[in-house]
Every structure is written in structure tokens, then in C-alpha cells.
Amino acid sequence: MMDDEQRIADLRRMQRVATGLLVAAGIVFVLASIWRDVAPWVPFVRAFAEAAMVGAFADWFAVTALFRHPLGLPIPHTAIIPRRKERIAVSFGRFIEHNFLDPDQITKRIRHHDPVTRIAHWLRQPEHSQQVADVVADAISGLLRVIDDDDVSQALARGLNQRLESIPAAPLAGRLLGVFLTGGRQRDALMQLIHLLAEVIAKNETEIRRRIAGELPPWVPRIVDQRIYERLLEGVQRLLRELRDTPDHPLFQQFTNLIDRWIVDLQFDPQVQQQGEALKRELMAHPMVRELVQASWRDLKLTLLAQSVSPASPLRHSIATALTRFADLLEHNAEWRDKIDTWIAAAVVAIVRRYRHAIGEFVTQTVNNWDTEVTTRKIELQFGRDLQFIRINGTIVGGLVGLIIYSVSLLFS
């Protein structure tokens, strides 16, 4: 609004200047006509003023005819802009499309301005990287507040299921197990398993004795379950001591052979692989998986919300630090700068090529939708001030031409 008011003021001022020159030329013409015999130079002034009025009137007519009928008279080929608004709209849209949205010109401008270096310089300043980090954190906070947790959980579960479906379970388990047990780790694995078994037996004495008692006949004394439990625990602990004291215990080799055969079967036995796929599908369909995904998302969301809201959170600091390091990389690595310049140019050109015609059509449609009077007014405010210079120049140039013509006419009279 302030721009329009300023343009109106500028237009009115230039119109007064141009009209003032016309009035001044008319006054000079009248005075020179009255006192034309006072001095030899007065006819020259009169000729200048007369031609200046003609030039001023002609250019006033030409400028006015662009926007309206001069003096309200429906003279042919006047009010050009109101009458040809649709054609102007089409031309304006095509002009924008073919000149401002030319891919080659856009690429040159991008290369010339080197936006990547400018961005790197800007991001290297801590206050700027922090500003970007704050914007990113606020955006994360706003996004987390509006998204639906159920939709996200379902999307994550679908993505996890699709990913797991594409991965053969048994061969992957075989490879992981082979990597985990490389370097003779079978011995350590067996020791850990038996040690874990001993801990489980020791910590679950009551439950184990209850189960043992439940399997015994009713007439067996109650003390028997205690003895069986003690013998079981003692046997596991004795085996653990034997394995610890006997490096070449036969159980180590048996366990190693069992694990090696299991790794081979997991990777190459079709029956084992089918069983692995069935187990995988059963696991994927279990409600526990969905609940785990939901709980993981809730925990992640709460963590991100807390980090994004706090002004001095590690999240904001990490984003700012990452941006600064990225700026350093761009500033000192010419190869990366060239790559990103190329990516930016290619992305912009792709967008322009895809949508340049649509943008041109949008401009055309926008201009067409304007009211004719509003369109004329917008164009007049945009260019009317400069057009007044045509009237000013017409007044001066017309006067000079009239002076020359009068001077030449005297030479041949």
C-alpha cells in the first residue's frame, strides 16, 4: 500500500512538471506573439514555444491514449491497455516464461553468484548456524505436535515389516552367528551359557523345586525334591568347573561341531530356512512387535520434544555444530562445492522446465482476472512516472525542432 501511495505521488509530481512545461510554453508563445516585433530574437522564442506546445500536446495524447480516451473522446486506437488487456496478459505471461524462466540463463546466474560459497560463509558464523538450528528445532517441535502417533507407529511397523520380509531370516542369522563366533569364541559362548544356566537354577530354586515336586508321586517324601534340586545345581556347577579347568574338554569340541553345523544349516538347508521364515512371520505378527514400535516412537517423540523446546538443548547444539562443520567442508573442499552447485542448478532447472509454462499461464490468468480498470491503474502506476518524461522530452525536443525549422525557413525566405 505504501508503495502504491509513493508511486501515485511520484506520478502526480511528474504530471505536474510535464503539464507545467506545456503551460509555460503556452504563456511564452502568447507573450512572444504579442511582442514579436520588440526584438529580433523574439520570433525565435515564439517558434520554439509554438513547436514545444505541439510536441507537448502530441506526447500528452500518446501517453494518455495508452490508458484511456483523451478528453473522454472515443478516438480510434486509444485506451489501448484497457482494450487489449487479454493480449497484454498473454504477452506478459510468455515474456516471463521465455525470458525470466530460461533454464540456461538461470544456470548462468546460479553459477555466477556461487550460492554454495555464500551459504558456507554465512553458516560459519555461530549466530547464523544457531539461528538455523533454532528454526529446525522449532519445525521439529511443531511437526511432532501435529502428527498422529498412531499413523506414525503404523507407518513404522509397515516399513519394518516390509524390510524384514525382504531379508531371509535363517541365512542372516547364520552369517551373524558365524561372525560372532569367529576366532574360537565357541569356548567362551559355551562357558557363558552354562554359567547363565547355573545362575538361573540358583535364582529360581522355589519354582524348580515346585515343578520337581509336581512330577513326583505323592508318596515320595518332600525332602526328595530338595535333593534333586541340589544335585541338579551341583551338576551344573561341577560341569562349569571342569570346563574352566580342562581346556581340551570334549564338550568344547562337541559344542563347536554343533554350532558349525547349525551355521551351515541356517545358510544352506531349505528346511531350516523355511522354519526360519515361519518363525520370522510369527514374530512379525506378534502384538509385542507393534507395542515395541509404538513404545519406541513414543520415547523418541518425547525425547525430541523435550530437546526441541529447550533453548540450550543438546539437539539444537548438535544441529548448529553439524551446520558449522558442513560449512567448513563446503568452504575448503572445492569438489564438494562444485557438486552441490551442480545439484542446485540441476534441481532449479528441472523445476523451471517442468513448471515454467504453468507459471507463465498463472501470470496470464492472474492478469486476466484483474479488473480492467485495476489493471490499467497498476500499469500506469508502474510505468506512468517514466512515461511523463516522454511528455517533457517531447516539449523540449519539439521546441528545438521548431526552432531549427524556423531558422532554416529564414535562410530560404
Side-chain angles (χ1 to χ4, degrees):
M1 181 64 67
M2 292 300 297
D3 289 342
D4 286 347
E5 292 178 357
Q6 184 61 44
R7 289 194 180 101
I8 291 173
D10 292 341
L11 175 60
R12 293 288 181 262
R13 183 171 60 255
M14 294 306 300
Q15 286 176 333
R16 286 193 294 270
V17 172
T19 304
L21 287 176
L22 172 60
V23 173
I27 293 173
V28 170
F29 175 76
V30 171
L31 295 177
S33 298
I34 295 174
W35 290 294
R36 64 182 304 172
D37 297 327
V38 171
W41 51 266
V42 173
F44 289 92
V45 173
R46 181 178 181 277
F48 177 89
E50 182 180 10
M53 286 191 300
V54 174
F57 272 115
D59 288 334
W60 166 82
F61 183 89
V63 170
T64 303
L66 289 173
F67 306 104
R68 61 189 61 85
H69 295 298
L71 302 176
L73 301 176
I75 303 172
H77 303 294
T78 58
I80 296 173
I81 291 176
R83 292 174 54 214
R84 300 188 179 183
K85 189 191 73 169
E86 293 184 1
R87 186 181 300 178
I88 292 173
V90 172
S91 299
F92 192 46
R94 290 178 179 174
F95 179 80
I96 296 292
E97 176 182 349
H98 294 290
N99 291 277
F100 287 89
L101 300 178
D102 179 66
D104 294 334
Q105 293 298 324
I106 290 176
T107 302
K108 289 179 181 178
R109 297 296 294 179
I110 291 175
R111 294 289 188 181
H112 174 73
H113 288 288
D114 192 11
V116 176
T117 301
R118 293 171 180 262
I119 293 172
H121 286 320
W122 190 82
L123 283 178
R124 284 196 66 199
Q125 301 180 33
E127 61 273 17
H128 292 159
S129 60
Q130 189 61 53
Q131 288 175 7
V132 177
D134 291 340
V135 171
V136 173
D138 291 340
I140 292 174
S141 176
L143 180 63
L144 291 174
R145 294 178 188 279
V146 299
I147 59 178
D148 187 88
D149 290 344
D150 292 337
D151 291 341
V152 175
S153 298
Q154 292 175 8
L156 291 175
R158 285 195 300 269
L160 178 62
N161 289 341
Q162 291 173 358
R163 183 59 180 167
L164 291 177
E165 286 175 357
S166 64
I167 300 176
L172 177 61
R175 288 193 295 271
L176 292 176
L177 190 60
V179 172
F180 177 72
L181 296 178
T182 55
R185 293 194 182 97
Q186 292 89 340
R187 175 187 175 87
D188 297 335
L190 179 59
M191 294 289 292
Q192 291 295 330
L193 286 174
I194 297 179
H195 182 71
L196 178 63
L197 177 60
E199 287 186 355
V200 171
I201 293 174
K203 292 180 179 180
N204 295 273
E205 177 182 355
T206 303
E207 179 63 21
I208 293 174
R209 289 182 59 185
R210 187 182 66 80
R211 289 181 176 272
I212 293 174
E215 297 295 330
L216 295 175
W219 49 268
V220 175
R222 297 289 299 173
I223 193 64
V224 174
D225 63 291
Q226 174 66 24
R227 297 299 183 188
I228 295 175
Y229 169 78
E230 291 174 353
R231 293 293 297 273
L232 175 64
L233 180 59
E234 181 183 351
V236 174
Q237 291 175 342
R238 183 172 60 250
L239 176 61
L240 189 60
R241 287 193 299 270
E242 291 176 358
L243 291 174
R244 189 181 299 114
D245 298 335
T246 310
D248 57 348
H249 195 287
L251 190 58
F252 284 130
Q253 187 59 44
Q254 295 173 11
F255 181 74
T256 300
N257 294 337
L258 176 64
I259 292 298
D260 291 343
R261 185 168 64 253
W262 194 22
I263 291 175
V264 173
D265 290 343
L266 284 171
Q267 297 186 74
F268 302 107
D269 190 326
Q271 183 177 359
V272 174
Q273 292 180 2
Q274 290 178 0
Q275 293 174 353
E277 291 302 304
L279 180 62
K280 182 182 72 175
R281 287 191 292 270
E282 183 179 351
L283 178 64
M284 291 166 53
H286 199 281
M288 179 185 66
V289 176
R290 184 169 59 254
E291 294 174 1
L292 178 62
V293 172
Q294 292 174 346
S296 300
W297 165 246
R298 285 196 299 268
D299 293 342
L300 176 61
K301 178 180 178 180
L302 291 175
T303 301
L304 289 176
L305 275 174
Q307 293 283 328
S308 60
V309 171
S310 176
S313 66
L315 175 64
R316 293 177 184 248
H317 178 72
S318 299
I319 296 174
T321 302
L323 290 171
T324 302
R325 291 177 179 174
F326 182 63
D328 289 336
L329 173 65
L330 293 180
E331 193 166 34
H332 297 99
N333 193 317
E335 182 179 356
W336 267 96
R337 286 201 306 273
D338 292 340
K339 284 183 179 179
I340 296 181
D341 270 336
T342 302
W343 294 342
I344 293 175
V348 172
V349 167
I351 293 173
V352 167
R353 284 178 175 167
R354 184 177 181 85
Y355 297 106
R356 60 186 298 194
H357 182 68
I359 294 173
E361 288 290 337
F362 173 76
V363 172
T364 299
Q365 190 63 38
T366 300
V367 175
N368 273 329
N369 289 337
W370 287 346
D371 180 77
T372 301
E373 184 177 350
V374 173
T375 303
T376 303
R377 191 59 177 166
K378 285 180 179 291
I379 297 175
E380 185 176 14
L381 289 179
Q382 190 69 37
F383 305 106
R385 177 182 179 277
D386 296 327
L387 291 175
Q388 299 309 308
F389 284 102
I390 295 177
R391 296 177 57 191
I392 295 172
N393 293 334
T395 303
I396 298 173
V397 173
L400 292 175
V401 171
L403 180 61
I404 293 172
I405 293 174
Y406 179 74
S407 300
V408 172
S409 66
L410 291 179
L411 295 176
F412 295 95
S413 59

